[in-house]
Amino acid sequence: QVQLVESGGGFVQSGRSLNLSCAASGVSLDMYGIGWFRQAPGKEREGIACISATGGPTQYADSVKGRFTIFRDNTKNAVYLQMNSLKPEDTAVYYCAARTWYSCSVYGIFAQAMHDWGKGTLVTVSS
């Protein structure tokens, strides 16, 4: 089991950017596929980005494609979600989740397949 900690959330105006991080200690995240999910009040959880284990392919939901980028920094043992051109509809609690040797291209951004979850970080985008 890996403990994940998200950070980087906050309150921003529409059109601005935020960079979320998902960090772990004690294990190398490189062998984990990492997904970013979000849940807005009153809405279902949505999978928005995924990066496969060991530098494999990434995948994005249509709602964020072209605006968000998921990437790894193995020197910091972290996975990041760079969010640009934020919109009020991006307001949600953002979670990262992990599963060993996960391939996004094979399984997609599938919450039920993830084994370990962080506690989330809140992103609020004002209009």
Side-chain angles (χ1 to χ4, degrees):
Q1 187 175 7
V2 57
Q3 291 188 332
L4 303 172
V5 179
E6 303 95 336
S7 62
F11 183 95
V12 295
Q13 290 184 325
S14 180
R16 304 297 292 268
S17 299
L18 280 175
N19 188 22
L20 305 184
S21 65
C22 175
S25 59
V27 295
S28 171
L29 280 183
D30 192 47
M31 65 180 180
Y32 288 82
I34 303 293
W36 280 99
F37 300 83
R38 67 186 181 184
Q39 188 163 20
K43 295 188 176 181
E44 293 187 354
R45 182 171 50 190
E46 177 188 18
I48 57 171
C50 182
I51 187 166
S52 303
T54 62
T58 58
Q59 194 169 46
Y60 298 92
D62 288 343
S63 58
V64 305
K65 198 173 294 183
R67 299 188 299 124
F68 291 10
T69 303
I70 187 171
F71 61 98
R72 296 180 180 275
D73 186 341
N74 289 335
T75 65
K76 297 182 180 179
N77 201 32
V79 172
Y80 298 90
L81 185 68
Q82 175 65 39
M83 307 188 296
N84 298 330
S85 302
L86 283 163
K87 305 174 182 180
E89 50 264 43
D90 294 319
T91 295
V93 178
Y94 284 70
Y95 302 89
C96 65
R99 179 171 177 165
T100 49
W101 309 119
Y102 191 84
S103 171
C104 306
S105 59
V106 174
Y107 301 110
I109 316 170
F110 190 46
Q112 287 82 352
M114 295 295 174
H115 285 169
D116 302 294
W117 290 80
K119 294 183 178 181
T121 185
L122 176 64
V123 172
T124 305
V125 184
S126 66
S127 57

